[in-house]
Amino acid sequence: MNLPNTLTVLRILMIPFFVITLTYGKYALSLTLFIAAALTDALDGFIARIQNKKTAIGKFLDPLADKALVLTSFIIFAILGWIPKWLAITVISRDVIIVVGSAILYIVTGNLKVSPSLIGKATTFSQLFLAALLLLLVNLNSLKALPSVIIWITGILTIASGIQYIYRGFRIAS
């Protein structure tokens, strides 16, 4: 277990504590944990690239940690009424489709080499940005100041990237 993988596992282990802090209204601590998770994400990738410590398990765990944090955040945010339920459902559905599609591709082709697209990266950024902004605004007691355009951009990007990944999957499989 190298340092980048240890940081990734640490990020995964932060998720239950993040949920607990949100559930019990400890929003400053929620924001701190979210920032810590984001920093470990940036740091593990940086260290893996610089020290040439990319591993097969790291390639699997890093996106898993990201997805777990995003999905957990959006589920809790929807339960708390901070985002519309349709957005949480959209984010969850896209990720389930990607995971199931990847499994099918692996079964059909015996290979799974899927690189994130530009729109996929933009989607992840918009989701993480929205989550960070929500946590910041709730700590400032100004959640109502959240521009709805950010919710719509996140939703549209999520849907567009989901469609793009489905299209790419069909091209690879055929």
Side-chain angles (χ1 to χ4, degrees):
M1 185 79 114
N2 62 26
L3 180 58
N5 291 344
T6 301
L7 290 170
T8 301
V9 169
L10 179 63
R11 189 163 74 252
I12 292 169
L13 294 174
M14 281 186 221
I15 294 170
F17 296 102
F18 176 70
V19 172
I20 290 167
T21 60
L22 281 172
T23 303
Y24 288 98
K26 305 296 181 193
Y27 303 133
L29 192 50
S30 301
L31 178 59
T32 302
L33 286 169
F34 191 85
I35 291 169
L39 290 175
T40 62
D41 185 26
L43 194 57
D44 70 9
F46 176 75
I47 292 170
R49 280 188 298 280
I50 294 297
Q51 296 183 350
N52 197 25
K53 293 196 176 197
K54 294 181 181 179
T55 64
I57 191 73
K59 288 179 184 177
F60 175 77
L61 284 179
D62 186 61
L64 177 71
D66 294 342
K67 295 297 172 203
L69 180 62
V70 167
L71 292 177
T72 302
S73 298
F74 276 69
I75 290 167
I76 299 295
F77 295 161
I79 290 169
L80 293 172
W82 297 356
I83 61 169
K85 289 176 180 53
W86 67 262
L87 182 59
I89 293 166
T90 302
V91 169
I92 294 164
S93 298
R94 171 196 176 259
D95 286 347
V96 167
I97 289 167
I98 289 172
V99 169
V100 170
S102 296
I104 291 170
L105 271 179
Y106 183 75
I107 291 167
V108 169
T109 66
N111 186 13
L112 183 62
K113 186 167 178 141
V114 180
S115 56
S117 67
L118 182 60
I119 194 165
K121 289 180 180 187
T123 299
T124 300
F125 174 80
S126 71
Q127 291 170 350
L128 291 172
F129 178 79
L130 175 57
L133 183 60
L134 282 167
L135 290 167
L136 180 63
L137 290 174
V138 77
N139 276 286
L140 297 173
N141 291 321
S142 51
L143 198 55
K144 292 187 189 311
L146 178 69
S148 62
V149 69
I150 294 173
I151 288 172
W152 282 102
I153 289 171
T154 302
I156 290 167
L157 283 171
T158 301
I159 292 166
S161 69
I163 291 168
Q164 182 186 38
Y165 281 121
I166 291 169
Y167 173 76
R168 288 170 77 188
F170 277 120
R171 281 191 37 214
I172 291 169
S174 52

